[in-house]
Amino acid sequence: MIKQVCKGAVTVAAVVALSGCGGTGPDGVEPPESPSPAATSAASPGGVAATPGGSGGKADALLTGTWGTRTSLVVLRVRGRAVEMMGAHHCQGEVAKEGGLHVIRLTCDDGNTDRSVGRVYGLSADGMTVEWEGLGADSFERAR
């Protein structure tokens, strides 16, 4: 029980700390958005084609924000189409609508591929589930 509480506290602390990243500067002005990374591959092992811009391309505005898990200590930060994942691995990529679903494609700095392609399910203002190809699912909560 104490171990779960500690893991939850660490996750909350990480999400709170990271949710401040990229906010407004000392003068109250938000910095310009960095350019979106390029698509990482033409096709994924699971058969979902990575079409630059996807089918309609732009991800749902509801997805934008900072999201954290309680169990695997993963934080996702979504700004427009750009996605950054922090945790045991640091990864960057993009999200696009493909076949009616939001699909996240990431490339990790250290070459890890555990969470390279994920499909978003159950997206709401407070939570979502990302099903990662070959890994399983993570349940995310929006950072406040």
Side-chain angles (χ1 to χ4, degrees):
M1 174 75 174
I2 292 175
K3 189 174 183 180
Q4 288 178 326
V5 171
C6 289
K7 279 185 175 180
V10 168
T11 300
V12 170
V15 170
V16 169
L18 292 170
S19 65
C21 296
T24 60
D27 58 357
V29 176
E30 188 162 325
E33 191 165 323
S34 59
S36 296
T40 57
S41 68
S44 70
V48 175
T51 54
S55 59
K58 190 156 183 156
D60 191 327
L62 188 58
L63 193 56
T64 296
T66 302
W67 302 85
T69 65
R70 290 184 183 229
T71 55
S72 57
L73 301 177
V74 173
V75 175
L76 279 179
R77 184 168 175 235
V78 181
R79 290 187 72 179
R81 290 188 57 200
V83 179
E84 180 178 23
M85 183 183 75
M86 295 146 285
H89 308 279
H90 178 261
C91 312
Q92 295 182 38
E94 61 183 27
V95 60
K97 274 226 174 162
E98 298 178 15
L101 290 175
H102 290 97
V103 177
I104 299 171
R105 297 185 180 281
L106 299 170
T107 301
C108 297
D109 297 343
D110 63 1
N112 183 278
T113 59
D114 288 346
R115 290 180 175 90
S116 59
V117 178
R119 288 165 188 77
V120 177
Y121 296 97
L123 177 62
S124 72
D126 298 319
M128 68 175 169
T129 299
V130 178
E131 180 73 33
W132 301 103
E133 287 184 4
L135 181 69
D138 285 320
S139 294
F140 289 89
E141 294 179 4
R142 184 179 300 278
R144 300 276 176 213

